[in-house]
Amino acid sequence: MSKKAVLGVLAAAIAVAYGGSTWWAASQIKSRYDIAFDELPKQTAMVRVVERSYDRSFLGAVSTVTLEIGCAPEAVAAAPAPAAKPAEGEEAEADEDKDADATPSKPLRITLRDTIHHGPLAGGSLAAATIDSEVVLDAKTQAEVEKLFGKAKPLTVHTKVGFSGAFTTDMTVAPVKLTEDGKGQFNWQGAQARAEVNAARTQVRYELTMPGMDFNSIRSGVTMKMGKLAVKADMDSSAGWILATGKTEGHLDSLEFAAPKGLGNAPGGEHKALPTVLLQGLDLLGDATIKDGLYASGGTLKGSGKIGETKIDKFEVSSSARNIHAAGYKKLADAWMQSSAANGCGKGGSKASQDAIKALTDQLAPDLKAMAKYSPEFSLDKALVEIDGKRGEISYTVGLTGVTDEDLQVPGTGLLMKRGVLKANARLPMKWLEKLAETGAGSGQTPPPEMVAGLVEQGEQKGFVKRDGDDVTAKVEFSEGSLKVNGKPLGAAGN
């Protein structure tokens, strides 16, 4: 065979291979779109695919989908019109009936367009496909958007799909600057995010950055400033997104809020100034796990700051949930998310909506009670504040323990009284109590400062509180139907 013939055969083979690869990539991408949009409405009653097209060619495709977010149109149409206002001299109906006139908000429609380039050389990259996504706006909406973003694209999204089916998405939201003479301004410096998702769409790693935001209102005097926010997470949704496990970390440089003219409308048009609140060095930590079929999650927020002239050396809040039966919780959450009534979309007004929610609640009640056998527990593990070397701290835990099949036959209140557990602890510096009384002097809502020591002493004599050096402490426990205060049954607290 001549050299030219060999080269010709080789070129033909490459062309066939490239064409086959492109056809395969195109088929895979189309299949993934079909699966994703078929699954979307199954997740919640609040999102529906109302229109969709997929125009495919050899080298690429354009996917256009219109989503409807909110209550379904038939639920909005079926809701009764608001009742007419009472004529002069007539009394309005009782407050308990006013919700019957509530009308669900009209759903929002949003159209998304994806321009897809098929691989193996997709948009100049070695990939199964690259996708550029955009929000499709009509002329009127586009004009309104330009008031916020100028001529910049509000949203830029680029996705690279690997041959394994895994993909990486980069998203940028353009900065927003809005200024109105005599009213104030809003300046948001945009956001950037990257997400890496595996082929099965069960694992995601993402990072989010927002450089900052400033807002001020000339009329009200309210100002808000937010520093740089950075968040990253590594999550696993193999058990469903409602049971996603993994770790999340976040850091916010600062958050400042000031209302020198107060908030709201006070009698006589007077407003009480609020102290400026400044929070700094905020760290957020979160984690969730599933072990032996039980879900557990926890989160911590900590930082420092200042309220008015009072410097907060440190604050920390930690909460958690443990021993949550994963399968039962997912069943409850899925049923609730898929219920239009539970999402405020009841037909025929509030009465029909309430009936639908009650029916759903009754249906799920056995599953909810069954979860009690696994000793679920919810807690505020720690809420502490340190000021001038003094620390105040509270914590509590509520849960159920030792629940049997026999216990599940009794009403919910009886179950809580028999198997419910509560533990709560509080510690506050005596100086803080005196300072609170001093600050509230004249308001009628706090005792006079000179009476604080006497009131604490009375509480100590009755067993409701204890003195521990410069601190006042209290401990409450409830279990097996018995309530104890500082280790003594409530009736014996004063003995």
Side-chain angles (χ1 to χ4, degrees):
M1 184 180 290
S2 68
K3 184 176 181 180
K4 288 185 177 181
V6 171
L7 292 176
V9 171
L10 181 60
I14 293 175
V16 170
Y18 185 88
S21 298
T22 301
W23 178 86
W24 175 86
S27 300
Q28 291 296 308
I29 297 300
K30 174 66 166 58
S31 175
R32 289 183 176 277
Y33 267 78
D34 290 340
I35 293 172
F37 286 116
D38 285 344
E39 289 181 352
L40 183 61
K42 300 176 184 178
Q43 306 300 316
T44 172
M46 302 298 284
V47 179
R48 295 163 297 282
V49 178
V50 295
E51 187 176 348
R52 183 181 165 219
S53 66
Y54 195 94
D55 300 322
R56 175 177 163 183
S57 64
F58 179 69
L59 294 177
V62 175
S63 169
T64 305
V65 60
T66 298
L67 302 177
E68 191 171 67
I69 303 172
C71 298
E74 56 268 23
V76 178
K85 293 183 179 180
E88 186 175 352
E90 295 182 0
E91 293 185 2
E93 295 184 7
D95 289 343
E96 61 195 27
D97 295 329
K98 67 181 181 180
D99 289 339
D101 300 327
T103 301
S105 301
K106 290 184 178 181
L108 168 69
R109 287 198 174 191
I110 182 170
T111 299
L112 306 174
R113 180 189 294 140
D114 291 341
T115 301
I116 305 162
H117 302 280
H118 296 150
L121 293 178
S125 300
L126 184 61
T130 59
I131 306 169
D132 293 300
S133 306
E134 60 182 325
V135 179
V136 181
L137 305 173
D138 57 38
K140 182 179 179 180
T141 305
Q142 180 65 39
E144 293 298 321
V145 167
E146 288 183 0
K147 294 179 181 179
L148 300 175
F149 297 95
K151 295 298 182 180
K153 277 190 175 183
L155 179 66
T156 302
V157 182
H158 180 77
T159 301
K160 182 178 179 180
V161 184
F163 294 104
S164 67
F167 61 90
T168 300
T169 296
D170 291 293
M171 180 181 72
T172 299
V173 182
V176 173
K177 187 170 185 179
L178 179 63
T179 302
E180 295 188 69
D181 293 339
K183 292 185 178 181
Q185 67 176 9
F186 174 76
N187 184 13
W188 183 55
Q189 298 176 38
Q192 299 81 40
R194 163 170 280 203
E196 299 176 356
V197 184
N198 70 338
R201 293 184 291 124
T202 57
Q203 293 182 320
V204 59
R205 290 192 298 271
Y206 72 83
E207 295 184 1
L208 168 69
T209 302
M210 292 196 300
M213 181 271 291
D214 292 276
F215 165 80
N216 72 74
S217 170
I218 295 176
R219 182 182 63 81
S220 66
V222 172
T223 63
M224 180 181 291
K225 297 180 180 180
M226 187 179 79
K228 181 181 178 180
L229 171 67
V231 180
K232 63 179 180 179
D234 191 342
M235 309 299 292
D236 186 326
S237 66
S238 299
W241 282 111
I242 197 69
L243 290 170
T245 59
K247 295 184 179 295
T248 302
E249 299 178 17
H251 180 82
L252 177 61
D253 286 349
S254 62
L255 180 64
E256 182 176 0
F257 177 82
K261 299 180 182 179
L263 297 172
N265 295 319
E270 298 177 355
H271 300 270
K272 185 177 180 180
L274 298 178
T276 298
V277 177
L278 173 63
L279 305 178
Q280 296 175 303
L282 300 176
D283 287 316
L284 171 66
L285 302 172
D287 67 271
T289 60
I290 296 179
K291 184 178 180 180
D292 298 328
L294 299 179
Y295 180 75
S297 65
T300 298
L301 175 66
K302 56 185 178 181
S304 60
K306 190 176 182 182
I307 300 179
E309 297 302 318
T310 302
K311 182 181 178 182
I312 300 174
D313 301 317
K314 175 184 178 181
F315 70 85
E316 182 175 342
V317 180
S318 297
S319 62
S320 61
R322 293 175 286 274
N323 299 331
I324 310 302
H325 186 235
Y329 175 59
K330 186 176 186 303
K331 181 178 180 180
L332 294 173
D334 287 346
W336 197 261
M337 290 293 291
Q338 292 164 11
S339 168
S340 295
N343 286 279
C345 301
K347 294 184 179 181
S350 179
K351 179 64 167 59
S353 178
Q354 290 175 3
D355 289 344
I357 292 176
K358 183 179 184 304
L360 177 64
T361 303
D362 292 343
Q363 174 190 338
L364 298 176
D367 297 294
L368 181 61
K369 292 182 69 174
M371 293 173 64
K373 293 196 299 182
Y374 299 90
S375 301
E377 188 176 280
F378 305 89
S379 63
L380 176 65
D381 301 309
K382 180 191 300 182
L384 71 84
V385 177
E386 289 186 4
I387 300 175
D388 293 333
K390 300 291 184 180
R391 170 185 289 200
E393 184 173 349
I394 62 173
S395 64
Y396 67 81
T397 298
V398 295
L400 293 165
T401 185
V403 176
T404 65
D405 289 331
E406 182 180 352
D407 293 330
L408 296 179
Q409 306 307 312
V410 303
T413 303
L415 177 62
L416 290 175
M417 292 298 295
K418 184 178 180 180
R419 300 300 185 184
V421 175
L422 165 67
K423 295 180 181 180
N425 295 275
R427 174 181 292 272
L428 292 174
M430 185 67 181
K431 286 187 176 181
W432 289 13
L433 298 177
E434 294 170 345
K435 183 65 175 178
L436 286 172
E438 181 182 335
T439 303
S443 67
Q445 299 179 355
T446 59
E450 61 273 12
M451 292 182 60
V452 172
L455 291 173
V456 170
E457 185 177 349
Q458 290 181 22
E460 187 175 12
Q461 292 174 352
K462 294 181 178 180
F464 296 136
V465 298
K466 288 185 175 183
R467 288 295 299 268
D468 183 7
D470 295 332
D471 296 338
V472 179
T473 68
K475 182 178 181 180
V476 177
E477 296 177 274
F478 176 85
S479 63
E480 299 180 347
S482 175
L483 180 64
K484 294 181 180 180
V485 179
N486 293 320
K488 295 183 178 181
L490 182 61
N495 297 332

